[in-house]
């Protein structure tokens, strides 16, 4: 298996499995240096990108299309129709279906949602979900439960979910997810740990989770990227995971 400059396994199709690279990234509505953002995403060589805070307002589809073009990816689902989460994918992915999900609105709080899809990569079938959980603790806990319910209802054996949890690993919502799924960073630590802020990383509030049966080969914040690009691209750091997904 080849290894890119960042040290994680490269995407590959193996006998009985597929190695995929998944990136989770809060891009702050593309309000920062979009050229730096594109360089960061390209350098991670992802098959799937789970985005939070995608553009949601005026000409948001054009902004999403520009980001996809600049990173040699395509828009899979989400954006304003999912209240911010969005999925991008490489041409390696064959799309089976997509669905944008809006969660119940709590008066006075920001609307939240999930961008979801089922894709096939190298023969492996996998559910994908991007989420950005609430700033309010009680609502966040309910949304964590909704995330687990959504994954369970996707009709797939293997799934990956990631996003900005707005909570550290010792919080109840984070623990709720980690008790039902594999917290990729905890299973196979690689790279940096803290994801916020991009200029002063001091907490891990972004994560990638997978269902049982998916082998985590490594997960964390890529450390070989230009620090100037990371600080300029957005206010979060990206989380990159390499996964080995069984082929049915």
């Amino acid at each position: 298996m080849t290894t890119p400059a960042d040290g994680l396994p490269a995407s590959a199709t193996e006998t009985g499995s597929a190695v995929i690279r998944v990136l989770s990234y809060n891009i702050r509505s593309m309000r920062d240096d979009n050229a730096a953002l594109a360089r960061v995403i390209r350098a991670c060589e992802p098959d799937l990108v789970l985005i939070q805070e995608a553009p949601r307002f005026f000409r948001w589809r054009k902004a999403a299309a520009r980001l996809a073009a600049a990173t040699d990816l395509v828009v899979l689902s989400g954006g304003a129709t999912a209240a911010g989460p969005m999925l991008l994918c490489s041409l390696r992915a064959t799309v089976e279906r997509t669905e944008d999900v809006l969660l119940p609105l709590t008066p006075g709080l920001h609307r939240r949602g999930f961008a979801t899809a089922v894709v096939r990569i190298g023969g492996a079938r996998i559910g994908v979900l991007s989420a950005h959980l609430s700033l309010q603790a009680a609502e966040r806990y309910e949304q964590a439960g909704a995330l687990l319910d959504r994954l369970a209802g996707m009709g797939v054996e293997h799934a990956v979910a990631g996003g900005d949890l707005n909570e550290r690993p010792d919080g109840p919502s984070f623990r709720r997810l980690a008790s039902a799924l594999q917290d990729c960073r905890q299973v196979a630590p690689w790279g940096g740990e803290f994801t916020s802020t991009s200029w002063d990383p001091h907490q891990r509030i972004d994560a990638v989770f997978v269902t049982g049966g998916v082998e985590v080969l490594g997960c964390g914040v890529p450390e070989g990227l230009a620090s100037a690009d990371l600080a300029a691209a957005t206010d979060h750091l990206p989380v990159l995971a390499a996964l080995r997904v069984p082929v049915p």
Side-chain angles (χ1 to χ4, degrees):
M1 180 183 296
T2 59
T3 302
D6 57 33
L8 275 185
S11 301
T13 300
E14 304 173 331
T15 302
S17 63
V19 175
I20 66 172
R21 290 165 66 98
V22 178
L23 184 71
S24 182
Y25 205 4
N26 183 318
I27 64 171
R28 212 170 79 98
S29 299
M30 295 175 64
R31 293 182 301 205
D32 301 291
D33 186 334
N34 290 329
L37 176 65
R39 287 193 294 268
V40 170
I41 294 175
R42 283 200 310 269
C44 292
E45 302 180 25
D47 297 297
L48 298 167
V49 184
L50 284 51
I51 282 176
Q52 302 84 49
E53 290 196 41
R56 296 186 296 118
F57 300 110
F58 184 64
R59 293 182 177 174
W60 66 270
R61 287 186 175 85
K62 289 188 176 180
R66 285 197 303 270
L67 179 61
T71 54
D72 298 321
L73 300 168
V74 296
V75 177
L76 181 54
S77 70
T81 49
M86 184 171 72
L87 300 174
L88 303 178
C89 66
S90 72
L91 295 179
R92 191 173 176 228
T94 299
V95 183
E96 183 175 306
R97 68 177 187 270
T98 66
E99 183 178 5
D100 298 332
V101 179
L102 291 176
L103 297 174
L105 176 63
T106 300
L109 297 180
H110 174 64
R111 189 69 180 261
R112 305 283 174 170
F114 303 144
T116 76
V118 176
V119 301
R120 295 178 185 268
I121 299 178
R125 183 170 181 257
I126 187 164
V128 190
L129 185 152
S130 177
H132 187 184
L133 302 189
S134 176
L135 290 167
Q136 202 275 335
E139 184 182 51
R140 183 166 62 241
Y141 189 80
E142 293 302 316
Q143 290 170 354
L147 188 158
L148 296 174
D149 290 342
R150 177 60 53 171
L151 288 185
M154 291 180 75
V156 295
E157 183 177 359
H158 307 298
V160 56
D164 177 355
L165 305 186
N166 274 316
E167 186 174 281
R168 299 177 182 181
D170 59 353
S173 300
F174 202 120
R175 293 199 311 268
R176 185 174 191 178
L177 295 175
S179 67
L181 304 168
Q182 299 184 79
D183 174 3
C184 294
R185 169 70 192 183
Q186 184 179 48
V187 172
W190 164 90
E193 177 180 6
F194 298 140
T195 63
S196 174
T197 60
S198 59
W199 55 87
D200 179 26
H202 63 279
Q203 59 182 348
R204 180 163 81 101
I205 61 173
D206 304 84
V208 175
F209 298 92
V210 292
T211 52
V214 176
E215 181 183 359
V216 184
L217 304 176
C219 179
V221 175
E223 294 184 323
L225 304 182
S227 57
D229 279 349
L230 290 171
T234 176
D235 61 346
H236 284 241
L237 294 176
V239 180
L240 179 63
L243 312 170
R244 179 176 282 117
V245 186
V247 173

